[in-house]
């Protein structure tokens, strides 16, 4: 067994002739075994107005019982109901998460209806992004909650898409794989349904809304997928009840004129949806989520953080260079902010000093004024005291004089 290794440029790789059996042909099997051991996860988002049959359809698809009490039409906000199930088929484990809108379309503001959906989808991308950025990542046991498919329920009005639906679809079409569904399709006649389907598709195209297309690049599924693309939007009916048709019990809705069988392809597109979603294209939906939608989120997020692949001179930049540049920029910004703070502080100190000096001067002036007033008052009082003393002196003098003159008077009378 001989093998020669050459380190050559990519375009110049030499094909070696195998002289024996190496065994790397079983690499795909190793991958399958590993995937089976790890298990799979699949996350579905159901968007649609209250009462359009979202829970019933999910229950019909997975044989669950998620229908609780009916939601009210008077919710102030849209909420998201998250349910996670563990499913097993043969030896394949599937962790299924179903996220359903509650109260969508019941708000006055259109933005209030779709914003919580956008925030939820972004939050799942952000959680994955943060895990990627960690030094110690643990993707082996990481529960990936990124939405792989959005089942968008359209009311079976037979008219056209509502403004809110168009707005919501336009906002989320770059974030999730959208499969449009006509809900409660049993309430619309066969002819009306075809017209309604083409009307919806035309509206989606004219509004530039990108919906998920089943892939046609794989020979084994190309034919089926391209025919399924023609059937979009799928007209679905959900029902958990079983009714008797002939000798068989089937899932269906019983009407006075007959039975609508959920799993009969002539009655509705339920089986088409189930096959496309859970059999033929599950992995493709996950792949598109990772390689297209998450990639777009990641790119924008990194660009917002200041990372780029090329510099201003169009030369490739390494992560290290960008990191160093960012660090320098951050350091300079910190210094600038510190200088600014110092300058502001000094200015405040100066302002305060000036204010203190002015107050001190005012107090000094006031003190001087009061001192002067007090001195003047003292002088005045002293003057008054002096005058009073003089008056008292004069008084005593006059009193003494009058006493003398009185004594002399009396002496003269006695002599006489
Ligand atoms: P909220 O969770 O309250 O938003 O409703 P929802 O969209 O989950 O609807 P739900 O599955 O609770 O169904 C509402 C009503 O519609 C129930 O009475 C269902 O029996 C009925 N329903 C569900 N699917 C269909 C359908 O395909 N056709 C018809 N005719 N009725 C349906």
């Amino acid at each position: 067994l001989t093998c020669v290794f050459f380190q050559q440029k990519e375009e110049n790789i030499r094909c070696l002739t195998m002289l024996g059996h190496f065994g790397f042909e079983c690499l795909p099997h190793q991958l399958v075994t590993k995937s089976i051991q790890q298990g799979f996860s699949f996350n579905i988002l159901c968007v649609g107005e209250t009462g359009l049959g979202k829970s019933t359809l999910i229950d019909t698809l997975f044989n669950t019982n998620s229908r609780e009490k009916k939601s009210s039409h008077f919710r102030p906000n849209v909420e998201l109901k998250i349910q996670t199930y563990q499913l097993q088929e043969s030896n394949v484990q599937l962790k299924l998460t179903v996220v359903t809108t509650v109260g969508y379309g019941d708000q006055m503001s259109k933005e209030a209806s779709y914003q919580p959906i956008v925030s939820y989808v972004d939050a799942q991308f952000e959680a994955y992004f943060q895990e990627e950025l960690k030094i110690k990542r643990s993707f082996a046991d990481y529960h990936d909650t990124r939405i792989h498919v959005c089942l968008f329920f359209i009311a079976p009005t037979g008219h056209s898409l509502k403004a809110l639906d168009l707005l919501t679809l336009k906002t989320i079409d770059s974030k999730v794989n959208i499969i449009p569904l006509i809900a409660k399709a049993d309430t619309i006649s066969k002819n009306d349904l075809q017209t309604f389907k083409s009307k919806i598709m035309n509206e989606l195209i004219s509004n530039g809304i990108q919906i998920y297309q089943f892939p046609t690049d794989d020979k084994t599924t190309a034919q089926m997928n391209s025919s399924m693309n023609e059937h979009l939007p799928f007209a679905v009916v959900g029902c958990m009840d079983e009714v008797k048709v002939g000798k068989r019990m089937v899932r269906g809705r019983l009407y006075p004129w007959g039975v609508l069988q959920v799993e009969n392809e002539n009655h509705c597109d339920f089986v088409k949806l189930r096959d496309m979603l859970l059999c033929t294209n599950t992995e493709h939906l996950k792949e598109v989520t990772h390689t297209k939608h998450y990639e777009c989120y990641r790119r924008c997020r990194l660009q917002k953080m200041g990372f780029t692949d090329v510099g201003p001179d169009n030369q490739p930049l390494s992560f290290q260079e960008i990191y160093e540049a960012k660090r320098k920029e951050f350091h300079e910004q910190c210094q600038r902010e510190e200088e600014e703070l110092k300058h502001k502080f000094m200015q405040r100190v100066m302002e305060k000093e000036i204010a203190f000096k002015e107050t001190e001067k005012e107090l000094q002036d006031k003190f001087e004024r009061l001192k002067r007033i007090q001195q003047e008052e003292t002088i005045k009082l002293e003057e008054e005291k002096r005058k009073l003393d003089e008056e008292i002196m004069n008084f005593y003098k006059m009193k003494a004089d009058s006493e003398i003159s009185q004594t002399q008077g009396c002496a003269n009378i006695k002599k006489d």
Side-chain angles (χ1 to χ4, degrees):
L1 200 69
T2 51
C3 179
V4 188
F5 293 98
F6 288 94
Q7 224 179 356
Q8 288 169 322
K9 278 193 175 167
E10 197 69 4
E11 63 270 16
N12 207 11
I13 290 179
R14 219 179 101 189
C15 278
L16 298 182
T17 316
M18 301 278 296
L19 298 178
H21 179 252
F22 276 47
F24 57 76
E25 63 182 7
C26 65
L27 254 175
H29 303 293
Q30 291 175 19
L31 279 178
V32 170
T33 315
K34 195 170 169 237
S35 302
I36 289 175
Q37 275 167 3
Q38 278 183 350
F40 297 86
S41 69
F42 194 59
N43 307 318
I44 304 176
L45 169 68
C46 296
V47 179
E49 286 169 25
T50 309
L52 266 189
K54 301 180 291 296
S55 316
T56 312
L57 188 82
I58 291 297
D59 288 347
T60 319
L61 274 171
F62 300 107
N63 202 20
T64 48
N65 186 12
S66 63
R67 271 184 65 195
E68 294 153 9
K69 59 181 178 11
K70 285 194 171 83
S71 309
S72 118
H73 281 276
F74 304 102
R75 284 177 172 269
N77 303 308
V78 171
E79 278 168 29
L80 294 159
K81 188 172 75 181
I82 304 164
Q83 284 158 315
T84 301
Y85 308 95
Q86 191 71 47
L87 309 177
Q88 181 159 1
E89 193 173 57
S90 308
N91 59 344
V92 178
Q93 302 264 2
L94 179 72
K95 197 178 210 176
L96 173 79
T97 300
V98 181
V99 182
T100 318
T101 57
V102 182
Y104 170 84
D106 295 331
Q107 284 67 40
M108 293 289 279
S109 136
K110 292 189 179 67
E111 204 187 331
S113 272
Y114 68 76
Q115 200 48 52
I117 303 167
V118 177
S119 306
Y120 179 82
V121 173
D122 280 346
Q124 310 322 301
F125 281 149
E126 182 62 24
Y128 191 89
F129 180 72
Q130 288 301 331
E131 188 63 32
E132 267 191 348
L133 289 185
K134 277 185 190 168
I135 290 181
K136 203 173 161 202
R137 299 184 292 181
S138 51
F139 279 116
D141 55 0
Y142 178 78
H143 181 198
D144 183 3
T145 53
R146 292 174 298 173
I147 296 296
H148 300 123
V149 65
C150 166
L151 299 180
F152 196 91
F153 290 69
I154 299 163
T157 57
H159 285 261
S160 53
L161 282 166
K162 296 181 182 177
L164 171 64
D165 290 341
L166 285 172
L167 211 59
T168 308
L169 286 165
K170 190 91 199 104
T171 319
I172 61 172
D173 73 345
S174 58
K175 296 174 185 286
V176 282
N177 298 312
I178 299 169
I179 298 185
L181 307 177
I182 297 174
K184 298 189 178 180
D186 52 325
T187 60
I188 192 164
S189 76
K190 205 170 176 179
N191 284 344
D192 284 352
L193 187 64
Q194 281 318 311
T195 321
F196 192 37
K197 275 192 178 192
S198 31
K199 215 169 192 178
I200 290 170
M201 288 313 283
N202 287 339
E203 270 188 289
L204 292 176
I205 294 166
S206 61
N207 283 283
I209 294 163
Q210 302 279 325
I211 60 163
Y212 174 72
Q213 291 292 304
F214 302 116
T216 49
D217 47 4
D218 180 349
K219 267 193 280 176
T220 52
T221 54
Q223 203 184 353
M224 197 216 292
N225 276 351
S226 69
S227 113
M228 288 299 144
N229 282 328
E230 300 295 310
H231 277 92
L232 287 172
F234 287 141
V236 292
V237 175
C239 182
M240 291 300 283
D241 299 339
E242 294 215 327
V243 284
K244 200 164 186 182
V245 175
K247 287 184 182 166
R248 287 184 310 130
M249 289 301 283
V250 292
R251 252 198 222 160
R253 301 186 80 89
L254 180 62
Y255 293 104
W257 53 87
V259 173
L260 185 139
Q261 297 171 36
V262 170
E263 287 172 277
N264 185 333
E265 287 203 52
N266 292 321
H267 291 190
C268 72
D269 299 333
F270 175 82
V271 172
K272 292 187 183 73
L273 170 70
R274 190 176 59 192
D275 285 353
M276 289 293 101
L277 195 66
L278 302 172
C279 179
T280 320
N281 294 304
T282 322
E283 187 48 34
H284 185 255
L285 284 161
K286 293 183 72 168
E287 194 188 305
V288 175
T289 302
H290 186 70
T291 56
K292 187 176 163 195
H293 302 306
Y294 174 67
E295 198 58 28
C296 177
Y297 178 85
R298 183 183 163 277
R299 189 171 52 244
C300 296
R301 194 68 175 71
L302 286 173
Q303 276 168 353
K304 254 190 216 159
M305 284 165 78
F307 291 102
T308 165
D309 289 336
V310 287
D313 49 358
N314 251 4
Q315 289 301 308
L317 281 179
S318 74
F319 192 85
Q320 176 75 21
E321 283 169 325
I322 297 167
Y323 174 74
E324 290 298 340
K326 277 272 132 198
R327 219 172 95 115
K328 198 168 157 233
E329 193 183 306
F330 178 71
H331 187 69
E332 282 169 3
Q333 191 185 336
C334 282
Q335 272 185 336
R336 262 200 313 274
E337 279 174 12
E338 198 183 320
E339 285 300 317
E340 225 169 87
L341 269 176
K342 263 188 199 166
H343 182 73
K344 267 188 195 160
F345 178 74
M346 293 305 288
Q347 214 165 348
R348 288 285 302 275
V349 168
M350 267 165 63
E351 279 168 11
K352 282 276 166 213
E353 258 179 19
I354 291 169
F356 278 143
K357 275 188 183 150
E358 272 172 13
T359 317
E360 194 186 351
K361 193 171 172 297
E362 267 171 32
L363 281 173
Q364 188 68 32
D365 289 351
K366 199 172 169 184
F367 173 73
E368 293 293 336
R369 202 169 55 247
L370 287 173
K371 201 171 144 189
R372 211 168 42 245
I373 292 170
Q374 196 242 352
Q375 277 172 351
E376 283 167 8
E377 286 289 317
T378 313
I379 292 168
K380 225 192 240 172
L381 282 173
E382 275 175 0
E383 180 66 19
E384 276 173 17
K385 187 178 174 266
R386 194 186 54 75
K387 277 183 188 164
L388 200 66
D389 285 345
E390 257 177 34
E391 275 175 27
I392 291 167
M393 288 283 285
N394 288 341
F395 172 74
Y396 281 122
K397 206 172 161 193
M398 275 165 63
K399 191 181 167 193
D401 287 348
S402 86
E403 274 172 1
I404 292 166
S405 58
Q406 240 178 14
T407 328
Q408 276 176 353
C410 282
N412 289 338
I413 290 167
K414 271 183 190 169
K415 257 190 218 169
D416 290 339

